[in-house]
Each structure stands twice: as structure tokens, then as C-alpha cells.
Amino acid sequence: MRVIGLMSGTSYDAVDAAAAELDLVGDSLVLKPLGMVSEPYDGELRESLAAALPPGTTTLGEVCRLDTLIGQAFAAAAVRADRELCEGRAESVASHGQTVYHWVAEKEVHGTLQLGQPAWIAEATGLPVVADFRPRDIAVGGQGAPLVSLFDLLWLRGRPGRPVALNVGGIANLTAPDGTAFDTGPGCALIDAAARGFSGGALAYDTDGALAGRGRVHGPLLDRLLEEPYYALPAPKTTGKELFHLGHLRDALAGFGTLPAEDVVATLTMLTARTVADAARSVGATEVVASGGGTRNPVLMGMLGHLLPGVAVRTSDELGLPSGAKEAYAFAVLGFLTLHGLPGTEPASTGARRPSVLGSVTPGRDGLRLPPPADRSPTRLLLD
């Protein structure tokens, strides 16, 4: 089955569309990557989305408008992926949507909201669309994240030692071989916020780690940032920009006077590296396989390698999976599992009471035609 996975992460800069040929062969799920295309959000939509996200406020009218506009942006990416990567022969779409709120209170997740109305995708492509993956896991007591953990477990199974999968987007998360998975804290969220703030919006992120590379880590600021209680919580745990936003950084900077922008960004980069390294050590990692936008920051990756002596730190590209496309491929896999009636979660990763078949399905132009249910879940993922 050819499936297009759609993903826009917590950096909300673009919609990534990865196409995959997926087949169940015995106890293996075989994935043949067909490529990825990326469609940037237009400037007005990105600004509207940024204004609506915490700590900002919004209205139901604006939520409705964003749900439509994001759905249309996802639909455009899916149409392009079908045309350019699948020769018009895609069979389904799996859409993560755009997370706008993850409701965490008293260490529990009570709800989550992803925008990007799947009806627009189904109408534009004519294909059935699996969407709204996270709420079902939350309904059975899970965190609703990290949902890529099942993909990670299947993919890295059989590698020697204790390989850990790491994704560094706006938020960083990891998956250990025993199924332990959690958000470690900010990936690029605070770095991006600082780059935008110090540049007056001219920079969306610290390109190639240029700012951090010119700065020096400010020890007292780093110590204050590390006092955030989230880091000490036990797994499973999840977080988002509801916590790690520009206001969080401003609170931490209070009392330090005016620090050079480069030093602040260097300190935030070290914060990400330090919290990821601490998390990797806590699960006994012997290898870190990293993906996500943060892998393009050489300063961050260099800091992480320095903090994990004796641990192999590499990107997923070295194992045949493009680091920038991994999450989109992961949701293609989750959509495939849903359409075949198979669970898409590992309870050890999300804290759920049981594994769940995820999401809801929007029929395509020809109605809802599901493949026959599979008789067993795969135990490993192989790249073709």
C-alpha cells in the first residue's frame, strides 16, 4: 500500500509529506521510502498560528479559520506528494495535523488538539485520510505521545547494545529499547524563540548554529533553566510549547541584565543538549540515532556528542532513513496500521492501559474501502 504521511511539528514552519510503499511480510513491516516534499506555511498563516498558540490567546472563530487553512495547506502537500512521489497512485493519507494545544495538568494529559481538517485532504486527493491519532491513546490513560515510539521500537529492534531513537524538533523526545519513551524537554523551541526575539522576527531559527557558535554558555542562566521541574518528572511524560515558549525564557532571564544574544542562544543550545544527554544516560543508551530539524544544527550535535562520551551519536540518515522525513514516515506507518486494524501504540511508551488502534478515518471520493484486517501486528520494521 502506498501511503502519504503528513507532519508539521512544533516549529510550525512547513508541512512535510513523505510517501512510502508499505507491506506486511510475515512478522515484518517493510517500508520502501519514496521520498519527501515540504510545503512551507505562507507567512500570514504562520503568523496567525504563532499568535494563537500559548501563551497567546485566541477565539473559537480563529480556531475554526486555522483548522480550515491548515487543512488546505496539508491537502496541497498531499496532492503534490501523490503527483511527484507516487505517480498519482497513492492509496491513502495519514495526517498528524498541527498541534496547537496539549492539555497537561497535575502530571496527567487530559486532552490534545491538532488542527488541519482532514476533509480538505480527502476532497483534494480523493483518498481516505487517517487523522486525529493522539486522542485515542489519551482516552486509555496514555500521554498521547511520543507516538513515533512504536516506529522506533520496530525499526531499531535487533541493533546491538541499547540503541535510543531521538527526535529533535521544537520538542525533543526519545525512545529506549524497553519501550520507555518521553519528551526530554525543549528541542529547538527555546532556541527558535530566542533567535526570533533577538532578531525582531528576521530569523526563524539559528541557522547552522551560527549564533550559538559565536556565543559562550552562561553558567548561571543554564543552572536557572535546569531548575524547571519538568526535567525531574518520571517517564512517561510529555510537554510542549505550552511550557517552553518565549515567556519561559524571559522569566529565566530576569535579573541577569542584558546578555549578548549569542550567549543566550549558546546557553539554550546547551540546555537542549544537556537535557537530552541526561535522558539518554538515564535509559543506559549505548547509541543515539537522531532525527529532526535539530540534527541540522552542528553546534547542538557537537555539544550532545561531547556530553555523551563513549556513546555513538549518529543521524538516522546513516541507517537509511532521512532525518528530516522520519516523523512523516512514522505517521505513514501509523496510518497503515490503523487501516489494517492494528494498534499504533506501545503502552510502555505512552503510559496507556493498553495498545490502541489510533485515529479516525475520513472516507475518500469512492467511499470507505478498507483493506482486510491483518491477523497480527508486526514485530520489526525493515527498510527496503
Side-chain angles (χ1 to χ4, degrees):
M1 174 181 281
R2 289 192 173 190
V3 184
I4 296 170
L6 300 175
M7 177 71 193
S8 179
T10 47
S11 294
Y12 56 88
D13 51 1
V15 181
D16 295 330
E21 185 80 49
L22 292 161
D23 291 294
L24 283 168
V25 181
D27 65 350
S28 299
L29 178 57
V30 180
L31 185 157
K32 180 179 181 180
L34 301 178
M36 186 190 84
V37 296
S38 188
E39 282 285 323
Y41 282 139
D42 69 53
E44 182 180 351
L45 176 55
R46 195 169 192 276
E47 289 178 9
S48 296
L49 180 56
L53 293 175
T57 58
T58 190
T59 66
L60 285 176
E62 182 64 1
V63 170
C64 181
R65 188 178 80 92
L66 287 171
D67 192 36
T68 293
L69 294 177
I70 293 169
Q72 291 170 342
F74 272 63
V79 168
R80 181 182 167 196
D82 188 21
R83 181 180 68 249
E84 297 182 13
L85 306 175
C86 302
E87 300 176 339
R89 294 188 290 116
E91 296 167 75
S92 65
V93 179
S95 176
H96 170 268
Q98 179 68 62
T99 297
V100 293
Y101 197 77
H102 201 59
W103 179 16
V104 184
E106 298 180 354
K107 304 178 183 179
E108 293 185 11
V109 177
H110 299 277
T112 189
L113 181 61
Q114 285 74 44
L115 299 183
Q117 175 53 240
W120 292 102
I121 306 169
E123 183 60 29
T125 62
L127 303 174
V129 180
V130 186
D132 289 325
F133 288 91
R134 298 187 186 276
R136 184 62 183 273
D137 183 70
I138 293 171
V140 291
Q143 297 276 314
L147 288 190
V148 297
S149 56
L150 180 64
F151 179 98
D152 293 334
L153 291 169
L154 296 176
W155 177 43
L156 296 182
R157 183 161 290 155
R159 288 187 67 79
R162 288 183 59 80
V164 166
L166 168 69
N167 188 76
V168 188
I171 301 298
N173 62 69
L174 63 74
T175 305
D178 63 358
T180 300
F182 55 95
D183 291 339
T184 64
C188 299
L190 295 180
I191 300 170
D192 293 349
R196 283 194 299 272
F198 283 120
S199 70
L203 294 176
Y205 54 92
D206 184 17
T207 307
D208 297 326
L211 289 171
R214 295 196 300 267
R216 300 177 63 182
V217 174
H218 190 280
L221 174 59
L222 178 62
D223 290 341
R224 180 176 291 181
L225 287 162
L226 287 168
E227 291 173 357
E228 165 54 48
Y230 177 80
Y231 303 125
L233 294 177
K237 59 181 179 178
T238 54
T239 188
K241 286 189 173 179
E242 299 78 24
L243 174 58
F244 295 112
H245 51 67
L246 187 57
H248 181 90
L249 173 58
R250 286 174 175 157
D251 290 344
L253 286 169
F256 283 117
T258 302
L259 298 179
E262 293 84 356
D263 289 1
V264 174
V265 175
T267 304
L268 294 172
T269 305
M270 177 58 79
L271 173 70
T272 295
R274 170 75 179 273
T275 51
V276 166
D278 288 348
R281 280 192 293 268
S282 75
V283 297
T286 59
E287 177 186 35
V288 173
V289 181
S291 59
T295 61
R296 298 194 298 269
N297 185 325
V299 176
L300 173 58
M301 295 301 289
M303 288 177 172
L304 184 58
H306 178 75
L307 292 170
L308 291 172
V311 176
V313 178
R314 54 175 48 94
T315 66
S316 63
D317 302 80
E318 297 179 46
L319 304 186
L321 194 66
S323 58
K326 180 194 153 188
E327 284 200 304
Y329 279 122
F331 277 93
V333 166
L334 294 180
F336 176 90
L337 294 176
T338 294
L339 292 172
H340 287 80
L342 297 173
T345 57
E346 167 52 58
S349 300
T350 67
R353 293 187 294 274
R354 60 179 179 273
S356 297
V357 179
L358 300 177
S360 56
V361 182
T362 300
R365 202 167 293 142
D366 296 329
L368 187 58
R369 298 179 181 179
L370 299 177
D375 57 1
R376 57 178 173 171
S377 294
T379 60
R380 59 179 180 168
L381 175 72
L382 301 177
L383 298 183
D384 183 358

